[in-house]
Amino acid sequence: MKKTTVIAVLVCMFTAMAWTNLGAEEAAKTVNVEVTGKNVNLIKALCGDAEQEKDAAFGGMNALMVKEVRDAEGNVVDGMAGKLLHYLPVASASALISGDDNAGKVVTVKGVLYKDALVIAVKEFEVQAADAAAADGDDWDDWDELGVTTMSQQQVI
């Protein structure tokens, strides 16, 4: 009886290890891609206007809101539009990951996509021109940015 129990436990253990390794292999599948999207502050993208206390080191952390993903052959990768990709913390992604320099800008990122993990390893990136952001539906106007300088609180043009 003890021998049968030990064998059953060993079979279960090896089966579990095989399933764990299969999951790791699936997560390790990568695709070389070119992603176009908006580099957004992670807290603002997830929490909106809800006030959150930012961490001193990671408060300015950014992620990539996907508009389009193309593989190495130029084919569109389905199901990725609207997803939020996190940057793998590699040196080539440091200007995108943190800070306000590239936050809110439309970027094209070339790199390796870990699709199941929603992570991209940046090899290189390019910030799109401001005109591309306007053509992208970003209808920013500066009317609200005009200063209020009169006692009647009217904007002076």
Side-chain angles (χ1 to χ4, degrees), residues 39-42 60-64 87 95-100 102-103:
N39 195 36
V40 296
N41 181 282
L42 193 56
M61 184 176 262
N62 300 319
L64 183 61
Y87 298 110
L96 291 172
I97 293 173
S98 62
D100 294 328
N102 293 313

Side-chain angles (χ1 to χ4, degrees), residues 84-128:
L84 190 65
L85 293 180
H86 299 278
Y87 298 110
L88 195 64
V90 294
S92 57
S94 62
L96 291 172
I97 293 173
S98 62
D100 294 328
D101 292 344
N102 293 313
K105 295 183 180 175
V106 176
V107 296
T108 300
V109 176
K110 291 181 182 178
V112 178
L113 175 67
Y114 298 86
K115 188 175 179 181
D116 293 338
L118 294 176
V119 171
I120 187 162
V122 177
K123 291 184 179 176
E124 60 184 78
F125 72 94
E126 179 182 339
V127 177
Q128 301 295 316

Side-chain angles (χ1 to χ4, degrees), residues 14-27:
F14 285 120
T15 303
M17 287 179 11
W19 280 104
T20 303
N21 286 338
L22 181 62
E25 289 172 12
E26 288 295 320

